[in-house]
Amino acid sequence: MADGRPLPPKVTRTRLYEQVAEQITEWITATGLAVGDRLPPERELAQQLGVSRATLSQALVALEVVGVVTVRHGDGTVLTRPTEGTIAQAIRAHADRLPEIIETRDALETKIAALAAERRTDTDLAEIEAAIAAMETDVAAGGRGVEGDERFHAAVTAASHSALLARLMLEIGPLVRETRLESLSQPERPHASLAGHRRIADAIAAGDPAAAAAAMHAHIGLVSDVALIRTDG
């Protein structure tokens, strides 16, 4: 404090991809783009904005994480809700709550995996395998495997046969999706995620609760490395 008066707040640095995200949302508003409309192809957008494809991809992932767009493999980027408020603030709010989301997810899903190893049925195992196969197909075709990843974790949760844990996972579902989108948008992450799923599935199929819990814990640790969107540096 100076002369009893509080100092001004610390200056917040805006990263390039945040600026690009703001520009895109301003353009969406100015052109009157409606929900369901597609944005121009990434190559065209990057050229128009004068930024690299990598920076544009970061901006689009940021917009997807905060729910403004959906990036669909083979279908482009689609507006999912009208833009409102400051996008940079929404991105920072997401980054601020990441540690708590990961912590909660680790606590719940590690226990869920252990219970699944004890309680799974043949039907449960078949759905877990189907989810892995669906993700493998999507990733092989160039997609991120978001839907397959979501289906896998839902299948493991169902295999735990715990109604309360399933309800808790449903409650944090939208927050988990934020981390899923960000994580699977990083290079080579879908393949690493698939490998983690396989280890979890094998431990569940073997009826080994300790191994299933350890495999899930390691997998959530991988997901927690979501460095694509940062507000520091």
Side-chain angles (χ1 to χ4, degrees), residues 209-233:
M216 182 64 82
H217 177 69
H219 180 62
I220 300 300
L222 173 73
V223 173
S224 70
D225 180 19
V226 283
L228 183 59
I229 297 175
R230 291 197 188 279
T231 57
D232 59 342

Side-chain angles (χ1 to χ4, degrees), residues 54-170:
T55 298
L56 177 65
S57 292
Q58 284 183 309
L60 291 176
V61 170
L63 290 175
E64 186 174 20
V65 164
V66 298
V68 173
V69 303
T70 295
V71 181
R72 299 171 181 165
H73 176 60
D75 196 30
T77 304
V78 180
L79 184 65
T80 50
R81 71 169 173 80
T83 58
E84 47 191 44
T86 304
I87 293 302
Q89 290 177 348
I91 294 169
R92 291 193 178 99
H94 158 77
D96 287 344
R97 61 178 172 260
L98 271 177
E100 190 172 6
I101 297 171
I102 297 298
E103 182 180 72
T104 303
R105 188 177 176 189
D106 185 32
L108 293 178
E109 292 204 72
T110 298
K111 181 62 176 178
I112 283 171
L115 290 176
E118 295 175 351
R119 302 173 177 176
R120 83 288 186 276
T121 65
D122 289 343
T123 300
D124 293 326
L125 292 176
E127 176 54 23
I128 289 171
E129 289 298 327
I132 291 176
M135 186 174 177
E136 283 177 337
T137 299
D138 186 20
V139 172
R144 294 174 296 176
V146 173
E147 289 76 15
D149 185 281
E150 201 164 52
R151 181 178 173 182
F152 172 81
H153 287 277
V156 173
T157 298
S160 73
H161 295 278
S162 170
L164 184 54
L165 284 173
R167 181 177 173 183
L168 291 172
M169 286 304 300
L170 190 62

